[in-house]
Amino acid sequence: MKTPFPHAKDADLIVRNALGGLEAPARRAFLRGAVTLGGLSMLTGCSISDDTSVEAMLMKISRFNDKVQAWLFDPNRLAPTYPPSMITQSFPFNAFYSENKVPVVDADRFRLEISGKVADRHAWSLPELLALPHTEQITRHICVEGWSAIGRWGGVRFSDFLRLVGADLSAKYVGFKCADDYYTSIDMPTALHAQTLLAFSYDGEPLPARYGFPMKLRMPTKLGYKNPKHIQAIFVTNTYPGGYWEDQGYNWFGGS
């Protein structure tokens, strides 16, 4: 059946009824993932019209969930790490496009653009980035689609890089623009987390194109869609930047 909801009070009612019928773990998963009209239709069994009041209510719930996750986030708590024997063989490719459409980035011409609330805005070449102090982690990637995989990532701690460019560490957000037209943003506490890594390698080798060459942001404290690949630009801001999936209804904080 098709159910229109022209009034804000109706939108509030249907959202509350749908969420109320879920057990707590499923409710958390729903709010953490795609909080959209389609997801709500699946819960209610109704085909809900694309009413702005319903969509606004869903986004309101998602933004509230962002605040709760941010409040619960402990910047000093580390995600689990694993021995090399547990690395997933053939780490999965994952993107909003097929693997044959992975962007080709020219390493010689590549420059990482830095902007926003930073002191040093010079564009970084790949050799400059690779010369930075290197660290590695073996951590689990958790996808919102329900699968996970363990991989070995190497690069520079993102907190060290932000300090190096003189970023305003009191700013709210760090945003990313990518060669595959993907974009996303994270909160500053996550950016400064000890395991948030600007990764240039996978399993001891230069980062393959399928995993995000020339670099990706690796965050074991976030769901997979928050880990941008093929990064071309980084900016620090107090203005909410959104993200590719987040602007379509996915939870912005995206904690794992």
Side-chain angles (χ1 to χ4, degrees), residues 213-234:
F213 181 86
M215 75 193 73
K216 70 169 291 173
L217 197 69
R218 173 65 195 136
M219 298 176 288
T221 61
K222 297 283 193 184
L223 291 169
Y225 68 88
K226 296 297 297 185
N227 291 242
K229 304 188 291 286
H230 313 287
I231 297 172
Q232 287 190 321
I234 298 172

Side-chain angles (χ1 to χ4, degrees), residues 26 31 35-36 85 106 108 120-121 161 174 181 200-201 203 211:
L31 291 173
V35 188
T36 62
S85 60
D106 187 330
D108 295 331
D120 181 0
R121 299 187 181 186
F161 182 75
V174 182
D181 295 328
F200 310 115
S201 70
D203 203 17
Y211 296 156

Side-chain angles (χ1 to χ4, degrees), residues 94-176:
N94 190 244
F96 63 96
Y97 47 82
S98 59
E99 190 171 346
N100 63 353
K101 294 185 178 179
V102 168
V104 177
V105 177
D106 187 330
D108 295 331
R109 299 179 61 184
F110 174 81
R111 295 294 184 273
L112 175 64
E113 299 176 7
I114 307 295
S115 62
K117 299 176 73 63
V118 296
D120 181 0
R121 299 187 181 186
H122 96 270
W124 290 68
S125 68
L126 193 54
E128 286 180 298
L129 291 165
L130 295 177
L132 295 174
H134 186 89
T135 187
E136 290 193 345
Q137 61 176 248
I138 300 178
T139 51
R140 185 182 297 276
H141 172 106
I142 301 175
C143 182
V144 72
E145 295 173 347
W147 58 268
S148 68
I150 295 172
R152 176 186 172 198
W153 309 94
V156 60
R157 284 192 178 89
F158 195 49
S159 59
D160 292 343
F161 182 75
L162 289 175
R163 291 185 174 96
L164 187 61
V165 300
D168 180 356
L169 303 184
S170 67
K172 293 181 179 180
Y173 310 106
V174 182
F176 305 87

Side-chain angles (χ1 to χ4, degrees), residues 15-16 18-20 22-36 39-40 43 57-66 68-69 144 223 225 249-255:
V15 171
R16 290 179 184 275
L19 296 181
L22 290 176
E23 296 296 329
R27 185 163 57 248
R28 286 194 297 271
F30 174 73
L31 291 173
R32 186 174 62 189
V35 188
T36 62
L40 194 59
L43 293 180
M57 182 58 62
L58 291 171
M59 292 305 297
K60 182 178 179 181
I61 291 174
S62 184
R63 296 291 80 85
F64 173 77
N65 190 50
D66 286 335
V68 172
Q69 288 192 58
V144 72
L223 291 169
Y225 68 88
Y250 276 59
N251 176 244
W252 177 80
F253 193 85

Side-chain angles (χ1 to χ4, degrees), residues 158 173-177 183-186 228 231 233-237 241-242:
F158 195 49
Y173 310 106
V174 182
F176 305 87
K177 298 178 182 179
Y183 63 100
T184 191
S185 55
I186 60 173
I231 297 172
I234 298 172
F235 59 96
V236 178
T237 181

